[in-house]
Amino acid sequence: MPMHDLYRPVLDLIQGVAREVMMPRFRKLAADQFAEKSPGDFVTIVDRESEARLSEALGRLLPEARIIGEEAAAADPSIVDRVGDGVAWIIDPLDGTNNFTAGHGPFAIMVGLAVDGEREAGWIYDPVIDRIVHAARGRGCFIDGERVTARRSDGPPKAAIATYFMPEDRQADVRRRAEGVLEIVDIPRCAGEQYPRLILGANDIALFEKTHPWDHAAGALMLEEAGGMIARDNGTPYRLADPRHGAIAAGSPEMWALARAVLFD
């Protein structure tokens, strides 16, 4: 099976953290075990403990790699500045924290491996449904060990767009543009679920406003290895070291072009 050489060690680590740190606290968080980092954006004891465990163990797997974790970056944003230099592990210790805090899925652990800013491998593990998605550059995308190719949804193209994050005039414009062409569907508020939806044909298009490395290092590689596409709305490729916000992701280049034409031209 042509997966990355570190596929099994990283998967064993992620599953162990999910089993020992994450799931025992699912729907059991005490009031003092979560807080708002900013309005509507939560952090929990699980985020912090998961990142600490993952960082330590991944550092042992590749001692030459720097660690770029979401919570570490919240404390010291400068660590992201060197994401394009050398070998780096990129960690989202609990993607979908708001869902986890509310006591429902989806949520996931996401780990990406980059070399000089190029996404080389990625792991996304959903512990609720016990699903592992993995990709390695040039070797394909795998879901639960089976190689997959992105496929279309049934019916009109389905676009996952968080319209409620947009100003009212932009919401109205998006809905007007999409009418009769795209079906706007709810977002899962979890990139670790959104990327599999694009690959498996539940959604065809997704708009991402925030493009932090930990949210996209793993999933963007998976989508591309499955035949999909992610790029800025002007068509430039998504790069980890590019600090700009905003990207269009789609299950195929053709679907990406449709999204660009309908929503931005």
Side-chain angles (χ1 to χ4, degrees):
M1 189 175 297
M3 296 182 179
H4 195 274
D5 295 344
L6 292 173
Y7 169 73
R8 177 51 61 181
V10 175
L11 176 57
D12 289 346
L13 168 61
I14 291 171
Q15 290 180 319
V17 170
R19 182 175 60 251
E20 297 164 17
V21 174
M22 187 174 290
M23 296 310 290
R25 292 190 173 104
F26 183 43
R27 298 177 177 154
K28 297 177 183 177
L29 283 176
D32 62 351
Q33 292 180 327
F34 65 95
E36 283 187 303
K37 289 192 288 188
S38 59
D41 184 17
F42 286 91
V43 63
T44 73
I45 189 173
V46 175
D47 295 81
R48 296 188 173 112
E49 289 191 6
S50 173
E51 184 163 309
R53 285 271 298 269
L54 292 166
S55 298
E56 180 183 13
L58 291 170
R60 290 198 303 269
L61 279 176
L62 286 180
E64 70 274 24
R66 68 173 46 85
I67 306 292
I68 299 173
E70 179 179 9
E71 303 312 319
D76 179 10
S78 70
I79 69 172
V80 182
D81 295 343
R82 297 185 63 197
V83 69
D85 300 335
V87 183
W89 290 111
I90 303 167
I91 303 168
D92 192 329
L94 172 52
D95 183 54
T97 298
N98 286 20
N99 295 340
F100 185 90
T101 304
H104 62 77
F107 52 87
I109 295 175
M110 302 198 296
V111 172
L113 179 64
V115 179
D116 294 331
E118 292 292 327
R119 292 166 279 118
E120 294 296 331
W123 294 254
I124 296 178
Y125 179 60
D126 181 329
V128 174
I129 60 175
D130 193 31
R131 180 184 64 200
I132 177 66
V133 189
H134 172 67
R137 179 167 296 282
R139 305 186 197 180
C141 176
F142 301 81
I143 296 182
D144 293 330
E146 296 295 325
R147 188 164 184 165
V148 293
T149 300
R151 56 181 183 261
R152 268 287 318 271
S153 68
D154 296 328
K158 295 175 175 58
I161 304 174
T163 53
Y164 47 82
F165 288 142
M166 299 176 178
E168 288 187 8
D169 58 343
R170 176 59 174 156
Q171 287 187 41
D173 183 57
V174 165
R175 293 187 183 281
R176 177 186 60 79
R177 288 167 171 267
E179 187 173 2
V181 183
L182 305 176
E183 178 185 347
I184 296 178
V185 298
D186 289 337
I187 65 168
R189 303 198 72 173
C190 173
E193 169 63 17
Q194 185 61 76
Y195 279 106
R197 288 187 184 186
L198 291 170
I199 294 166
L200 292 170
N203 299 161
D204 300 292
I205 296 159
L207 293 191
F208 293 111
E209 175 60 25
K210 297 179 180 179
T211 51
H212 300 303
W214 45 86
D215 287 327
H216 300 281
L221 176 63
M222 293 166 183
L223 180 62
E224 290 171 340
E225 288 292 324
M229 177 176 174
I230 180 170
R232 305 295 181 180
D233 60 31
N234 64 0
T236 58
Y238 169 69
R239 302 292 187 198
L240 294 177
D242 183 347
R244 289 178 295 172
H245 283 205
I248 305 170
S252 68
E254 295 77 16
M255 199 59 62
W256 189 97
L258 175 66
R260 173 68 179 83
V262 170
L263 299 174
F264 292 92
D265 283 348

